[in-house]
Amino acid sequence: MEGKVEQELGSQNHHHHHNHPCVEISMEIHKVETPPKRSSLQKLKNRLKETFFPDDPLRQFKGQSAKQKWLLGFQYIFPILQWGPHYNLNLLKSDVVSGLTIASLAIPQGISYAKLANLPPIVGLYSSFVPPLVYAVLGSSKDLAVGPVSIASLLMGSMLRQEVSPAQDPLLFLQLAFTSTFFAGLFQASLGFLRLGFIIDFLSKATLIGFMAGAAIIVSLQQLKALLGITHFTKEMGLVPVMSSVFHNTKEWSWQTILMGFCFLVFLLVTRHISMKKPKLFWVSAGAPLLSVVVSTLFVFAFKAQHHGISVIGKLEQGLNPPSWNMLHFHGSHMGLVLKTGLITGIISLTEGIAVGRTFAALKNYQVDGNKEMIAIGVMNVVGSTTSCYITTGAFSRSAVNHNAGAKTAVSNIIMAVTVMVTLLFLMPLFQYTPNLVLGAIIVTAVIGLVDIPAAYQIWKVDKFDFVVMLCAFFGVIFISVQEGLALAVGISIFKMVLQMTRPKTVVLGNIPGTDIFRNRHQYKDAVPVPGFLILSIQAPINFANSNYLNDRNDDFVSNDISRTKILRWIQDYEEEEENIKMHSSLRFVVLDLAAVSAIDTNGVTFVQELRRVLEKKGVEASSIQDLVLVNPVGEVMEKLQKADGTHDLLQPNVLFLTVGEAVSSLFSSMKGVSSSHV
């Protein structure tokens, strides 16, 4: 059947003559069904469920007894109750090894990152003690190692420094840091609680890769102070002020610091390289920072190097986290700054924590619940802010070590916290002579892993626009500032989405000879046009943002303005095509394939109605009938067209078809008699 039509079409396409006898077409025409009726309330309910509860968290409670429901509820809130009862000695062995391994990494990193945030080094250790304990109870990832991270530390330090100097007013600075952490945690937990996790999806992969790489470079530049031994170092973060500060103060460079710092930096980078090449040797890079701290501290102590231009941390107080709820300030002049800092550091650390959790969950094939993770990280920061901790999240470098060291459950976080506790109680005096240059070297080594060149190359290969977004984030962070670079990249990503919406793809379809399949003529070179038909496929929702682009509201269509509108431009092109002029086949039907139009709004409906009106008007002028034919609208689009279509001429059976093939064969046969009489 279809074959017959196609031979017919084919012969018409290839030998331009119209004298075929009118062939009876017996192709079966399928009716386009309308979706079942639903009230607006049902629709709204469905939309809300899809938006806020895509994971359907209540599914597991169906059909359970009341006692079981309570148990499941508690297990849902505290995942430790799920895996806790099945815990055994074998798991503990693995967790102790990995817990001690990440503790050896967390102690030097905690001290270093606190310095990066312009906070007392001890706060970094406080922040590696309480948060892991909270996370172990609430978190659903088995591999996430929790603690301070470089980028959130840098962000917090640089944002609070805009209004308060950590050198002149250290107490106020500390209070603002704790308060920002409180708000960050509140914000994170409420995102999870209100099921708004999709907000962090606005940070696209390209944005994050660019941002992380830029931040890694900014963090590394800040370490030049420690690695070169400069005392008068700029307060700015950007590349230009840091470099000028470094080269203006060349007389402050201390060769002892540079030599020692360079040695440790090379040692740490080599160990990192070894562990990356052979993951079995994870302990080489995990133990290196602690080893460097021990060796450098002994070296300084033995040679009294602090008198020879090598700056050291100095005395750290002993003891566990003091409570800090009395240091939270919810009023005063710095409220705006604190809220802004909390919001930005909260979102960034949340994105990092969840991304890390998902990465390792995918490797080990278990599920991480995004909303639960947000609540866990949020509660952890709120509790942290009342126990002298600043912002913490799942750290990539530590989680990777934790994973490679064979962590089986969140107990490795508890082991890490206990180790840090022992350090806080008994080992603090040992850090008195630790040189700052080692901390600098540790930070540089940790953040260098954030520069992901293969991923950047992959983005360049696949999508050039994404690559531009990535570069904007990268250069924005390096030259302007961390938060402005991030805002710029998010802005450009949203702009890209808007562009895609306002300029939808419209393609002309042709028939693949010998079939009833219609495909994009640009992509399939052997697809041929059907005389008298212009077949278009719109590949985006039609809404207020793009309906004017598809169809300018301009009544004077005969004037030159016709070229301004997309669909009418196609019609004009069709009429101008040499072939059609030769064949005398004037345009009879504009077929719109709506299969890829997922949604339509009032403007979209008006667009379809206007297009029909315009075609009728043009048809009268050209003394032929021109008709708009719709093919395969999806349920929602069909419903709205029906409601808007008072006179029912949009959706008559002769202009509404299930497939392009059926539309063409049915209309072609009705056209046949007319066209032969015209010739």
Side-chain angles (χ1 to χ4, degrees):
M1 273 161 357
E2 291 107 327
K4 223 177 197 176
V5 183
E6 300 315 326
Q7 283 160 8
E8 192 81 22
L9 298 183
S11 60
Q12 273 227 336
N13 282 322
H14 295 304
H15 329 286
H16 313 298
H17 56 85
H18 304 265
N19 312 347
H20 290 297
C22 192
V23 183
E24 269 313 303
I25 307 273
S26 55
M27 183 170 185
E28 191 185 344
I29 302 295
H30 298 85
K31 197 169 162 297
V32 180
E33 300 284 343
T34 51
K37 284 255 179 293
R38 284 186 314 172
S39 68
S40 300
L41 199 67
Q42 280 172 312
K43 283 183 195 159
L44 180 69
K45 203 171 132 191
N46 248 30
R47 167 58 58 84
L48 289 175
K49 184 169 179 266
E50 277 308 299
T51 308
F52 297 110
F53 297 99
D55 53 347
D56 195 8
L58 300 175
R59 196 178 54 225
Q60 54 179 355
F61 295 105
K62 283 189 188 128
Q64 303 278 7
S65 66
K67 184 182 162 203
Q68 195 64 20
K69 273 185 184 160
W70 276 103
L71 187 67
L72 283 170
F74 275 113
Q75 285 185 343
Y76 185 76
I77 301 167
F78 304 111
I80 193 166
L81 300 174
Q82 269 172 348
W83 52 264
H86 315 298
Y87 200 70
N88 59 35
L89 204 60
N90 266 349
L91 294 175
L92 183 65
K93 277 183 197 160
S94 311
D95 285 340
V96 166
V97 172
S98 50
L100 292 172
T101 314
I102 49 174
S104 72
L105 192 57
I107 292 165
Q109 276 187 359
I111 294 173
S112 316
Y113 290 155
K115 279 186 85 70
L116 183 60
N118 306 313
L119 296 169
I122 188 87
V123 174
L125 288 181
Y126 291 159
S127 306
S128 306
F129 168 52
V130 174
L133 293 174
V134 179
Y135 184 81
V137 175
L138 294 171
S140 57
S141 168
K142 302 174 187 174
D143 295 280
L144 206 63
V146 180
V149 289
S150 53
I151 290 182
S153 306
L154 168 81
L155 262 171
M156 184 165 275
S158 67
M159 287 181 75
L160 293 178
R161 205 194 223 169
Q162 290 167 359
E163 287 188 19
V164 178
S165 153
Q168 280 145 17
D169 207 343
L171 183 67
L172 178 63
F173 193 85
L174 191 60
Q175 290 171 340
L176 294 186
F178 291 154
T179 315
S180 301
T181 303
F182 176 83
F183 281 118
L186 204 61
F187 180 67
Q188 292 168 330
S190 50
L191 274 190
F193 191 70
L194 301 172
R195 323 289 296 178
L196 295 174
F198 53 84
I199 287 183
I200 64 166
D201 296 339
F202 272 104
L203 296 172
S204 65
K205 191 176 173 203
T207 315
L208 276 177
I209 289 172
F211 171 74
M212 293 281 194
I217 287 172
I218 290 291
V219 171
S220 304
L221 288 174
Q222 288 293 310
Q223 303 319 308
L224 289 173
K225 175 183 181 183
L227 288 169
L228 301 172
I230 298 173
T231 44
H232 296 94
F233 195 69
T234 173
K235 298 271 184 289
E236 302 282 317
M237 286 281 169
L239 177 71
V240 182
V242 169
M243 288 327 261
S244 66
S245 158
V246 164
F247 289 108
H248 276 149
N249 297 328
T250 39
K251 56 181 180 302
E252 288 187 9
W253 292 16
S254 125
W255 66 266
Q256 298 96 326
T257 307
I258 293 175
L259 180 68
M260 196 166 157
F262 184 72
C263 291
F264 281 113
L265 188 58
V266 170
F267 168 67
L268 287 165
L269 288 173
V270 169
T271 55
R272 182 175 171 272
H273 185 73
I274 291 172
S275 290
M276 279 177 69
K277 282 277 170 286
K278 295 205 173 91
K280 282 221 165 54
L281 298 175
F282 67 87
W283 49 270
V284 177
S285 71
L290 194 60
L291 184 66
S292 310
V293 167
V294 171
V295 170
S296 60
T297 307
L298 289 173
F299 180 87
V300 170
F301 185 70
F303 292 99
K304 300 275 180 288
Q306 71 272 28
H307 304 311
H308 300 282
I310 286 180
S311 69
V312 293
I313 294 184
K315 267 200 156 49
L316 296 176
E317 57 215 73
Q318 265 175 303
L320 293 183
N321 304 21
S324 61
W325 43 264
N326 55 346
M327 290 175 78
L328 300 180
H329 278 245
F330 300 123
H331 51 80
S333 54
H334 300 299
M335 207 53 214
L337 175 74
V338 163
L339 280 168
K340 192 172 108 187
T341 309
L343 185 76
I344 294 182
T345 50
I347 283 197
I348 287 296
S349 51
L350 198 55
T351 311
E352 184 174 356
I354 288 180
V356 175
R358 282 184 182 152
T359 307
F360 291 107
L363 283 178
K364 279 197 188 170
N365 206 5
Y366 62 90
Q367 285 298 309
V368 167
D369 179 342
N371 285 307
K372 247 197 236 178
E373 286 295 279
M374 290 182 200
I375 295 173
I377 292 174
V379 171
M380 170 174 100
N381 280 318
V382 170
V383 172
S385 69
T386 62
T387 53
S388 306
C389 306
Y390 77 111
I391 192 139
T392 50
T393 182
F396 195 80
S397 52
R398 258 163 295 172
S399 302
V401 168
N402 197 25
H403 172 80
N404 291 334
K408 293 284 185 283
T409 65
V411 170
S412 63
N413 269 315
I414 298 177
I415 303 290
M416 172 178 92
V418 169
T419 317
V420 172
M421 178 184 83
V422 171
T423 311
L424 280 169
L425 287 174
F426 307 112
L427 308 177
M428 289 326 290
L430 304 179
F431 289 101
Q432 188 178 343
Y433 293 106
T434 305
N436 284 320
L437 60 94
V438 149
L439 303 181
I442 288 171
I443 291 183
V444 172
T445 318
V447 297
I448 239 166
L450 298 174
V451 183
D452 195 346
I453 292 168
Y457 175 66
Q458 190 62 26
I459 289 177
W460 163 255
K461 263 196 336 204
V462 176
D463 187 339
K464 301 285 185 283
F465 194 97
D466 267 357
F467 188 74
V468 172
V469 171
M470 187 183 79
L471 287 185
C472 285
F474 180 70
F475 289 119
V477 168
I478 289 181
F479 288 110
I480 312 171
S481 80
V482 184
Q483 51 278 25
E484 266 89 4
L486 186 65
L488 184 74
V490 172
I492 292 175
S493 297
I494 294 175
F495 174 67
K496 171 189 165 185
M497 275 169 48
V498 171
L499 258 189
Q500 281 174 342
M501 274 168 50
T502 52
R503 294 289 177 262
K505 261 198 142 75
T506 315
V507 296
V508 178
L509 305 184
N511 173 241
I512 294 176
T515 68
D516 63 340
I517 298 172
F518 288 77
R519 286 289 178 268
N520 183 354
R521 281 176 58 191
H522 182 71
Q523 185 182 352
Y524 294 85
K525 294 290 179 255
D526 55 347
V528 288
V530 183
F533 285 85
L534 174 60
I535 305 166
L536 298 174
S537 171
I538 301 174
Q539 303 180 340
I542 307 175
N543 54 29
F544 65 94
N546 61 26
S547 55
N548 283 353
Y549 166 74
L550 290 167
N551 181 20
D552 249 342
R553 302 264 176 75
N554 188 350
D555 283 335
D556 193 13
F557 278 115
V558 201
S559 72
N560 293 334
D561 274 53
I562 190 167
S563 59
R564 285 204 355 239
T565 88
K566 188 77 180 181
I567 290 192
L568 295 158
R569 209 162 61 224
W570 288 120
I571 295 175
Q572 200 181 25
D573 289 351
Y574 178 90
E575 288 167 346
E576 284 172 1
E577 261 181 34
E578 275 303 300
E579 232 173 280
N580 295 327
I581 295 170
K582 273 197 224 124
M583 291 160 57
H584 309 295
S585 71
S586 62
L587 178 63
R588 288 291 313 282
F589 295 105
V590 176
V591 181
L592 281 191
D593 182 1
L594 300 179
V597 178
S598 58
I600 195 166
D601 66 0
T602 336
N603 291 51
V605 173
T606 313
F607 151 74
V608 177
Q609 290 168 329
E610 298 244 325
L611 188 59
R612 140 118 341 124
R613 216 191 66 232
V614 170
L615 283 172
E616 277 171 6
K617 195 169 160 188
K618 276 179 58 85
V620 172
E621 280 159 15
S623 68
S624 71
I625 315 152
Q626 292 191 346
D627 239 333
L628 179 66
V629 179
L630 304 179
V631 170
N632 193 14
V634 299
E636 184 189 332
V637 175
M638 178 87 176
E639 267 184 328
K640 288 193 181 161
L641 286 173
Q642 255 178 339
K643 283 181 185 155
D645 187 23
T647 54
H648 297 298
D649 53 352
L650 265 186
L651 300 174
Q652 288 162 348
N654 63 337
V655 290
L656 182 65
F657 294 93
L658 194 60
T659 68
V660 180
E662 287 181 14
V664 171
S665 64
S666 145
L667 296 168
F668 200 77
S669 57
S670 69
M671 198 174 94
K672 199 62 87 36
V674 189
S675 74
S676 43
S677 64
H678 265 309
V679 173

